Structures are given as C-alpha cells and as structure tokens.
Amino acid sequence: MAILFKSGPVSTARWKPFLTAAWPGRDLRFWPEIGDKAAVDYALVWQPEPGLLASLPNLRLIISLGAGVDHILRDPQLPPDVPILRLVDPYMTRAMSEYVVLQVLRLHRLDFDYRAQQAAAEWREHAQKNAAERRVGILGFGQLGQDAAKKLAGIGFDVAGWSRSGREVPGFATYGGADGLDALLARSEILVSLLPMTPETEGILDARLFARLPRGAGLVNAGRGRQLVEDDLLAALGSGQIGAAVLDVFREEPLPAAHPFWRHPRIIVTPHVAAETHPPTAAAIITEAIDDLEAGRPVANLIDRRRGY
Ligand code: NDP
Ligand code: OXD
C-alpha cells in the first residue's frame, strides 16, 4: 500500500512535512522515486504527465492537488474507472473570496484610473457609485462562486450567479444555460469567472461574450486561462467595451515575459495565486477521503467525469 505524490519541486517541498505527519509509517513516495508501481494505490497529483496514472495498475483513487481537475482529465491515457477526488477546502475557498473581493473592489472603486492619475500626478475625481448600485455577475456558481458572492453581498454588491444547471441559491438571482448567460451578462458591470475548464467553457470569455456586457465592464478571471480568448480581450480593452481586467490564470503559465498582458495599463496580472492549495488543511481532507474509501464509506467530492468537473 503506497501513496504517490507528484507535483513540482516547490510544491513537493511544501507538502512533504504535512504528508509525512498525516501518514506516519505509510509508504509515501515522491515522484520521480516511484518504486514498485504495482504497490501504489493512491496518487496525489498536479499536472501528471500523460501515461503516469495509467502506469499504476492498482490505483484506487486519484487525488487532485487543486480544486480543478482539468490537469488530470487532459491525459488521453487516464485510467477510465479510477475515481477522481478534487480538493474542496474551506481554507482555499476563503482565499479565493479574499481575492475576488479585492479585485471587485478595485474595479468598483476605479483603482485603475486613480493609479494612472497618480503616475501622472493628476488630481481629478470621478463619480463613484456605492456597492449596492454595482451589479456583479459570477460565472460558475459552485463552491468558490457562492462563497465569493456571499462575501461581496456582505459589502453590499448586487450579485448574481450563472451555472450549468441554473441552481437556485437563496439570496441571489441565478441563471443557467445559454439564455441565462445573456441575462446574467446584460446585468454584469463587473464579471467574475470561476468556471472549471471543460470543453464547454474553453474560450467562453471571447468577443461575443464581451459584447453582451454593459460597455466598460470590468473582468476578473480566476478560473482557467484557456477560457479566455486573449486577443479578444485586448481588442475589447482597446475599444473600451471592457474597461479593465484582472487575470490570475493564463493559457501559458508562467506568463511569458514578452506577453502584452504584463505591460497593459488596463490589465492586472497575478501569477495563479488567487487560492493556493494549503497543505495543512488539504492533507487532513485527503486523509479523511482515504479513510472513507478504506472503510467503505461514500467519498465526498468525487468528480463526475462526464461533466468534466
Ligand atoms: P465547483 O465544481 O464547485 O463549481 C463549478 C461551477 O461552475 C458550478 O456552479 C457549475 O455548474 C459551473 N459550471 C460548470 N460548467 C459550466 C458550464 N458549461 N456552464 C455554466 N456553468 C458551468 O468548482 P469550484 O467552485 O470549487 O472551482 C471552480 C474552478 O475554479 C476550478 O475548476 C478551477 O479551475 C478554478 N480555481 C482556480 C484557482 C486559482 O487559484 N486561480 C484556485 C481554485 C480553483 P453547476 O452548479 O450546475 O454544477
Ligand atoms: C486549483 C488551482 O484548481 O489552484 O486549485 O488552480
């Protein structure tokens, strides 16, 4: 019975002490030291290379070291019947909400304008709405989207959410499907995307979508980079259809130094840090999932492969 951990070197160094403490005496293996592959029954992974999971013949559970699972599902050789667990960690959820609140406030309070004015030593005031007069739309109304909505509503923002199912969430206007998207976009002066990466959401943040937002809308993307059509965003910023954007995720990460986003005056870039995995709390959640599986109890937060998230 062995547990394999596969991530980058920095993440491995951060996780190691917590995993060792969580599973004293268990056979823990840190990639690339896999040893006997037949002995591995659990794999904790971030961006496993294609074929790695298929090479473990007795795997019982694949555990994503993040909330998203696109980095696992993209493997064409992924073993079809092994369940996949995604991280749902209240610590991470709170981190994402902090990020969303910060960026929505930044857009709401015209921070891009005032930073630019400071650089030019220009003293000029703009009309300022109150949060209650600012409509925020959240694409992806799951764990992260709903918590962010609650925190934004606590400040007074008028928040609505969009999901695949159009699920009802008490206290919020919710929308679902293609028709629902039109309605959500029409009311969103600030649009926050917290969508999982699936074939349906790839490229969803494109010129067609931007055109349906109120003119000058702000955008926050902390879902996945491949959901954004980068040239369409640059064009929408150029025309003023999008007023400013805050981006945490990118098609290519790290974002190449020559990429125009780095120096665009109406874009803020953060290096995929909106909600980092937190090993102390995540290790406890993973332990519980493994205990449940071994005891024959239902395991929470297994993904539905057909939906892709
Ligand atoms: P959840 O599975 O809890 O929520 C996903 C939401 O997206 C659900 O409301 C779901 O609808 C909706 N959705 C999925 N597909 C579609 C679609 N085609 N059309 C409309 N709505 C759709 O996920 P989380 O909230 O936990 O995480 C969301 C994503 O955030 C992750 O997959 C990851 O990509 C990203 N993330 C980014 C981080 C960062 O640091 N930047 C950190 C953590 C996560 P329904 O409710 O109907 O199922
Ligand atoms: C995640 C992420 O999916 O950090 O957890 O992007």
Side-chain angles (χ1 to χ4, degrees):
M1 295 248 289
I3 299 174
L4 173 68
F5 182 94
K6 158 72 175 82
S7 185
V10 174
S11 157
T12 304
R14 284 177 63 214
W15 275 86
K16 220 172 200 169
F18 297 101
L19 296 181
T20 314
W23 300 313
R26 274 196 99 145
D27 184 357
L28 261 173
R29 300 175 184 183
F30 293 89
W31 187 89
E33 312 294 325
I34 305 182
D36 175 15
K37 291 184 170 175
V40 175
D41 40 18
Y42 302 104
L44 279 58
V45 293
W46 181 256
Q47 299 183 340
E49 66 271 26
L52 172 67
L53 296 166
S55 75
L56 308 171
N58 295 314
L59 204 51
R60 297 178 67 191
L61 184 63
I62 298 166
I63 299 161
S64 169
L65 292 169
V69 288
D70 47 306
H71 63 105
I72 296 172
L73 294 179
R74 67 184 179 181
D75 178 353
Q77 297 164 56
L78 189 64
D81 300 321
V82 182
I84 301 173
L85 177 82
R86 73 184 197 91
L87 265 189
V88 176
D89 181 345
Y91 189 99
M92 260 176 104
T93 304
R94 288 193 291 271
M96 179 59 86
S97 292
E98 287 175 10
Y99 183 88
V100 171
V101 167
L102 168 68
Q103 307 309 348
V104 168
L105 279 171
R106 184 199 297 285
L107 292 160
H108 165 62
R109 294 297 309 217
L110 314 178
D111 196 46
F112 281 88
D113 302 295
Y114 290 123
R115 289 310 101 231
Q117 285 180 213
Q118 181 170 351
E122 182 188 352
W123 185 278
R124 184 159 61 97
E125 59 190 74
H126 301 277
Q128 177 64 56
K129 288 182 177 188
N130 206 276
E133 301 161 293
R134 186 75 74 191
R135 294 179 146 194
V136 179
I138 301 188
L139 303 181
F141 219 42
Q143 295 285 339
L144 301 179
Q146 287 183 40
D147 191 71
K150 285 176 194 142
K151 306 242 159 95
L152 290 168
I155 299 169
F157 286 105
D158 179 354
V159 189
W162 182 69
S163 64
R164 199 176 50 93
S165 59
R167 60 163 86 185
E168 287 184 18
V169 177
F172 296 98
T174 55
Y175 302 86
D179 294 348
L181 182 58
D182 277 340
L184 185 283
L185 295 174
R187 72 177 298 292
S188 298
E189 298 169 86
I190 298 175
L191 186 72
V192 178
S193 183
L194 293 171
L195 284 165
M197 180 64 213
T198 68
E200 288 74 42
T201 64
E202 174 147 23
I204 190 169
L205 302 172
D206 66 357
R208 233 171 53 81
L209 180 144
F210 299 147
R212 291 180 279 166
L213 290 165
R215 186 164 176 79
L219 173 71
V220 179
N221 186 23
R224 283 291 182 262
R226 281 197 292 138
Q227 290 158 348
L228 175 67
V229 180
E230 296 183 343
D231 286 344
D232 287 5
L233 175 62
L234 291 170
L237 285 164
S239 71
Q241 178 57 23
I242 295 287
V246 181
L247 308 173
D248 185 56
V249 286
F250 303 89
R251 285 181 178 261
E252 188 177 347
E253 296 181 4
L255 187 65
H259 197 288
F261 285 174
W262 280 117
R263 278 163 282 276
H264 196 291
R266 304 296 293 181
I267 293 179
I268 281 184
V269 167
T270 54
H272 200 146
V273 290
E276 293 180 286
T277 303
H278 182 245
T281 45
I285 289 165
I286 294 169
T287 304
E288 192 177 323
I290 292 179
D291 287 348
D292 285 342
L293 187 85
E294 292 189 345
R297 294 188 291 266
V299 179
N301 299 315
L302 295 181
I303 66 135
D304 177 342
R305 286 201 195 195
R306 282 162 312 167
R307 288 187 329 186
Y309 65 97

